[in-house]
Amino acid sequence: MERPAWAPQGIDISVPSVSRIYDYYLGGSHNFEVDREAAREAMRFMPGLPKIMQANRAFMRRAVRFAVSEGVTQFLDIGSGIPTFGNVHEVAQAASPEARVLYVDHDSVAVAHSRAVLEGNELAGIAAADLRKPHDILNALETSQLLDLSKPVALLLVAVLHFVEDQDHPYRAVAELRDALAPGSLLVLTHASYEGIPLSEEEAGGTVGVYRDIKSPLVMRSREEITGFFDGYTVLEPGLVSMPLWRPESEADQEDPYAFSGFAGVGRKA
């Protein structure tokens, strides 16, 4: 298998990557055939996966603009993946030129490509770290260079927590990050769930099986379980809802049925 020029040395291009599969769903070009094969197999069970990812990105952009409107201009985006058009720094800095954005990912392709995209942007950066190790994120050099944690930060956990299994203590990781943030900080979150998917749980389970087979288990949590991540935050209106229903900018009933899969919400730390 030929290695593309943009692929960092040292990565195994024969193993699928969640961030590159996501890039494929969004129509990106930073993915390998092994990623495309896994994505196509997942879509065989759940053909609306690209629509879900598009709804996820649209929610993220609305939430970023909301944060800026609330005076929060620092962003910590964990599990940020491979930068695509309309990413956090573009949206945030269009709304506030002084906005600062730190991306965090443990995928080497995502990190390398982010560095290339962000070159010359002194108010945005990327740190190689894992959500499962919050201490590494909080103590990264890039964090101290870009963010002032004594002031409010918008913590983005968008489409990442459903890749953290219970045995890796996701609630504890989110709480550790929360405790490091100043009052007035925001938690911006989306999470996969069987609730809202226009398929039976058995049918949707085929897609879950694909992610399990590539050693990146997809943990489908209930609305109640997802609400638990907002412990210590006040969930803002309209609450934890389907992605198109969170402060929509157009008629939500025009959305594809798959866009209503899973949940999205924003909370504020008191």
Side-chain angles (χ1 to χ4, degrees):
M1 184 183 301
E2 185 177 350
R3 178 183 296 273
W6 53 262
Q9 294 298 318
I11 68 165
D12 187 345
I13 64 175
S14 68
V15 177
S17 153
V18 165
S19 64
R20 298 194 305 266
I21 292 172
Y22 188 85
D23 178 67
Y24 174 76
Y25 290 145
L26 290 173
S29 59
H30 287 80
N31 48 76
F32 308 132
E33 182 55 31
V34 68
D35 306 307
R36 296 188 284 274
E37 287 176 0
R40 288 191 290 264
E41 179 65 9
M43 290 168 62
R44 186 167 69 84
F45 297 101
M46 197 182 298
L49 278 167
K51 292 295 183 182
I52 297 174
M53 306 313 164
Q54 291 164 17
N56 187 75
R57 298 288 297 181
F59 159 76
M60 178 274 290
R61 291 191 288 267
R62 295 196 305 275
V64 167
R65 288 192 289 266
F66 169 76
V68 173
S69 74
E70 294 288 296
V72 179
T73 56
Q74 298 189 103
F75 296 85
L76 176 57
D77 183 2
I78 302 177
S80 51
I82 296 169
T84 56
F85 176 75
N87 215 6
V88 174
H89 72 282
E90 293 175 330
V91 178
Q93 291 175 353
S96 172
E98 300 304 312
R100 295 174 175 268
V101 178
L102 177 62
Y103 294 112
V104 177
D105 209 289
H106 63 83
D107 184 297
S108 55
V109 171
V111 172
H113 191 51
S114 296
R115 285 187 176 135
V117 168
L118 299 172
E119 186 175 1
N121 189 332
E122 296 182 355
L123 300 182
I126 175 77
D130 194 315
L131 172 59
R132 290 168 290 194
K133 298 179 180 179
H135 182 270
D136 291 351
I137 297 172
L138 295 170
N139 290 279
L141 176 62
E142 295 89 350
T143 303
S144 62
Q145 289 175 332
L146 269 174
L147 303 179
D148 180 355
L149 298 185
S150 70
K151 297 178 180 178
V153 171
L155 170 61
L156 276 66
L157 299 177
V158 176
V160 64
L161 281 165
H162 47 235
F163 291 113
V164 183
E165 297 181 273
D166 289 341
Q167 67 195 36
D168 291 319
H169 310 291
Y171 295 95
R172 187 168 71 192
V174 174
E176 187 173 336
L177 291 165
R178 176 202 64 211
D179 291 346
L181 301 181
S185 291
L186 301 174
L187 171 60
V188 177
L189 180 152
T190 64
H191 198 297
S193 176
Y194 284 119
E195 299 175 45
I197 297 176
L199 296 172
S200 69
E201 186 170 325
E202 182 180 8
E203 290 172 311
T207 291
V208 175
V210 171
Y211 281 93
R212 182 178 60 247
D213 291 344
I214 66 171
K215 305 297 188 293
S216 295
L218 178 59
V219 184
M220 306 290 266
R221 295 187 171 97
S222 68
R223 188 178 189 278
E224 182 178 1
E225 290 172 322
I226 298 167
T227 299
F229 289 115
F230 286 93
D231 184 39
Y233 293 89
T234 299
V235 179
L236 305 178
E237 292 294 333
L240 188 64
V241 295
S242 298
M243 293 178 288
L245 299 181
W246 195 89
R247 306 188 182 220
E249 296 172 347
S250 59
E251 292 295 329
D253 58 7
Q254 297 177 5
E255 294 280 356
D256 185 283
Y258 275 98
F260 295 88
S261 306
F263 292 99
V266 175
R268 179 181 284 116
K269 181 179 175 181

